[in-house]
Amino acid sequence: MQLLFKRLPALALLAFSSLLASSQVAHAQLGISRPRGQELVDGIAVKVDNQIVLRSDIDNIMAQEMARAQGKPLPPDLRCKILQSLVLNRLMLARAEVDSVTVTDARVDGELNRRMAYFVQQVGSEKKLEEMYNKSLRALKDDLRQQVRDQLVQQEMQDKIAGKVTVTPREVKEYFEKVPKDSIPYFSTEVEVGQIVIPAQVNDAAKQATLAKLNELRARILAGEKFETLAKEFSQDPGSAVEGGYLGFFKRGELVPPYEAAARKLEPGQLSPVVESQFGFHLIQLIERKGESYSTRHILLKPETGTTDVSASATKLARIRRQILSDSISFAKAAKDFSEDKVTAANGGLLANRQDGGSRLPLDRLDPAIFFTIDTMKVGHITPPMPYRTDDGKDAMRILYLKSNTPPHQANLTDDYQKISQAALAQKKNRALDEWYEQNRNTVFLEVAPEYESCKVLTANAEN
């Protein structure tokens, strides 16, 4: 049994957290929609107004849960819990139509581009991704679009229903005290690891070469070549290149300042000068304005870095490391002041546990590059500068810091308050969702296939 019960989200179909070998599971991971007409062959498990749950939707999530279980037994009612969660999500979509809860095209486009860029990075290249699914990147995005839109609408509905739910320390304590003693989990070794990251500094020669290339492309467009054609061939933004550089509509403040400032000065069809941002160098074309929103396309080029550029980053990190070791500055302060990984820098350099938002990471789930580095380290030690590649593919250097190493132990409020608090909050949010479900389930038409009638999808399913 587990301490933490969480409603199994239908959004698992869109998870990008791991790449699985099975083609069926891999397709579910990416969230590729079924071919048109497949529902006729596949079969509908549940109808919720004009929303449907297919048997394959349930099967895909089951396959992912089996892969994660790695041979361990699954709960006997798992299939029903999955169906219940899918029905709740479909109900939220149905009610969102009635309540006029929507998301903008710009938000959908931005999420699609982010996911594609991430997945391209994970598999190695656009070509490999296209070969994996036997589809072009454009086709993959088309397949994902409606599912991403649905997911974002569901998130809006969940925030509307349970977004303001919080738990007090008293509620956390009461929640933990209700857990049967034989069900309190035993946590494996956990560590807190910090990092300070400094990307390789691009030298002037590489910058000038990139500027020259973009100015050449700009001249070709002004001479009559299509922006979209050149974006597909040359842009290094995998999320938008396949769309001819199209980024979609954005509002003020949604894009990085240098890009937005340049784009908002343009007239429709006009080209910008070359613009530099933290992502590289852009050539921008404004497509149209709609009120405060505007749509653009761009060509992104990233200057190449070399070993000499990485050496400069290593030298800077070595100096920072000496300052920390001599107590001239704390690691947390140095991370906030110098690290260019903004996510960890804001947390004093500490890597976050994506499961509960805390800073303690299970040792057996660490990135191998980190695991084999800290395996022999003592608490408080800091590594010399080491090569690193950032999430967006940049060459960099980093130092790692082992802040703590917690031995295996049974969960308790002193050491594991963050995890227990998250579990209590999840349960309370589930109750809020179930209350909403009970209030709204009779406002939609719901039809369940005979083989799933025993799942009692009309009944709230949170564990209280």
Side-chain angles (χ1 to χ4, degrees):
M1 297 178 68
Q2 295 184 357
L3 168 69
L4 216 173
F5 171 79
K6 289 186 178 179
R7 186 187 306 278
L8 288 165
L11 310 183
L13 286 171
L14 296 170
F16 277 73
S17 58
S18 61
L19 298 177
L20 303 177
S22 162
S23 60
Q24 179 188 15
V25 175
H27 278 62
Q29 289 267 311
L30 183 53
I32 293 173
S33 65
R34 63 195 67 84
R36 288 184 179 87
Q38 180 177 322
E39 59 267 19
L40 299 177
V41 178
D42 184 348
I44 296 173
V46 178
K47 287 183 180 180
V48 185
D49 273 359
N50 63 342
Q51 304 288 332
I52 61 173
V53 176
L54 294 179
R55 291 181 176 89
S56 62
D57 294 334
I58 303 166
D59 291 340
N60 285 337
I61 299 179
M62 278 293 296
Q64 292 180 62
E65 295 302 319
M66 289 174 66
R68 292 191 187 101
Q70 298 180 333
K72 296 178 182 177
L74 294 171
D77 60 347
L78 179 59
R79 185 174 290 273
C80 282
K81 288 189 180 298
I82 291 170
L83 179 60
Q84 289 166 345
S85 186
L86 288 166
V87 169
L88 173 64
N89 285 337
R90 298 302 192 271
L91 175 58
M92 284 192 286
L93 288 174
R95 288 301 309 175
E97 291 182 15
V98 176
D99 297 343
S100 299
V101 175
T102 60
V103 293
T104 64
D105 290 340
R107 187 174 171 191
V108 175
D109 288 332
E111 182 65 12
L112 275 170
N113 290 337
R114 184 189 70 79
R115 291 179 189 234
M116 281 297 141
Y118 174 81
F119 214 65
V120 165
Q121 179 190 340
Q122 293 299 302
V123 302
S125 70
E126 291 181 24
K127 184 178 180 181
K128 288 181 180 178
L129 182 60
E130 291 174 340
E131 289 174 350
M132 179 183 295
Y133 292 98
N134 195 28
K135 290 188 178 186
S136 68
L137 211 59
R138 179 190 291 273
L140 291 175
K141 289 178 74 172
D142 287 343
D143 280 350
L144 269 174
R145 186 172 300 278
Q146 187 57 49
Q147 294 189 51
V148 167
R149 184 180 297 278
D150 288 348
Q151 180 188 25
L152 294 175
V153 170
Q154 289 166 1
Q155 288 174 357
E156 286 294 312
M157 288 295 292
Q158 286 196 24
D159 286 343
K160 182 179 177 181
I161 298 163
K164 295 182 179 180
V165 173
T166 59
V167 287
T168 64
R170 178 190 292 272
E171 288 175 317
V172 174
K173 184 173 183 290
E174 290 174 350
Y175 168 84
F176 185 67
E177 288 175 346
K178 289 180 181 178
V179 177
K181 298 301 181 184
D182 61 353
S183 296
I184 296 177
Y186 194 80
F187 291 130
S188 61
T189 300
E190 295 178 314
V191 294
E192 288 182 296
V193 180
Q195 66 176 10
I196 297 176
V197 178
I198 299 182
Q201 303 304 303
V202 179
N203 60 41
D204 287 339
K207 279 189 176 183
Q208 291 306 315
T210 303
L211 284 167
K213 182 62 180 179
L214 272 176
N215 279 318
E216 175 199 331
L217 295 177
R218 188 176 191 275
R220 289 170 62 176
I221 294 167
L222 292 174
E225 292 192 54
K226 283 193 171 184
F227 190 111
E228 299 95 313
T229 302
L230 295 179
K232 289 177 182 179
E233 182 177 354
F234 294 105
S235 182
Q236 293 175 309
D237 176 4
S240 68
V242 69
E243 301 283 356
Y246 180 68
L247 286 179
F249 279 91
F250 287 88
K251 294 181 180 179
R252 187 186 297 273
E254 292 183 331
L255 294 175
V256 292
Y259 189 104
E260 180 177 288
R264 294 182 70 88
K265 292 178 183 177
L266 301 174
E267 295 299 324
Q270 189 177 4
L271 294 178
S272 72
V274 177
V275 177
E276 182 178 8
S277 77
Q278 65 260 43
F279 300 105
F281 290 86
H282 310 260
L283 178 61
I284 306 167
Q285 184 179 51
L286 180 68
I287 301 173
E288 64 176 315
R289 288 192 179 93
K290 288 183 180 179
E292 286 298 306
S293 299
Y294 60 97
S295 65
T296 58
R297 58 174 63 95
H298 78 142
I299 298 173
L300 172 69
L301 295 183
K302 303 175 184 180
E304 294 183 2
T305 56
T307 55
T308 55
D309 308 314
V310 175
S311 297
S313 300
T315 300
K316 184 176 180 179
L317 277 172
R319 183 172 64 252
I320 293 170
R321 180 177 182 267
R322 287 195 296 271
Q323 291 176 324
I324 298 170
L325 293 176
S326 65
D327 293 328
S328 297
I329 188 173
S330 68
F331 187 93
K333 180 70 164 57
K336 289 180 179 178
D337 290 350
F338 302 111
S339 182
E340 296 190 39
D341 179 5
K342 301 305 180 186
V343 175
T344 54
N347 194 35
L350 294 179
L351 302 174
N353 186 326
R354 295 181 181 179
Q355 296 297 318
D356 60 20
S359 59
R360 288 191 2 207
L361 308 165
L363 189 64
D364 56 359
R365 296 183 188 175
L366 279 181
D367 180 326
I370 296 178
F371 175 86
F372 288 112
T373 299
I374 69 165
D375 190 38
T376 56
M377 288 174 60
K378 293 182 179 179
V379 172
H381 282 201
I382 302 171
T383 68
M386 302 182 298
Y388 177 60
R389 185 170 290 273
T390 63
D391 289 341
D392 58 357
K394 293 180 181 177
D395 291 325
M397 298 292 289
R398 71 175 173 182
I399 55 177
L400 293 176
Y401 162 56
L402 182 59
K403 181 180 179 181
S404 71
N405 188 325
T406 305
H409 66 282
Q410 194 168 42
N412 62 79
L413 282 169
T414 301
D415 296 324
D416 307 294
Y417 183 85
Q418 179 70 23
K419 289 187 178 67
I420 298 167
S421 174
Q422 287 297 315
L425 179 62
Q427 185 189 71
K428 193 172 180 181
K429 286 189 173 185
N430 275 352
R431 286 174 179 164
L433 288 170
D434 286 330
E435 289 172 4
W436 178 89
Y437 182 87
E438 286 297 319
Q439 294 167 4
N440 288 273
R441 62 187 177 88
N442 292 324
T443 65
V444 298
F445 170 78
L446 193 145
E447 181 180 358
V448 183
E451 67 265 37
Y452 289 107
E453 287 179 351
S454 63
C455 286
K456 299 179 181 178
V457 295
L458 292 175
T459 304
N461 66 63
E463 288 184 5
N464 298 317

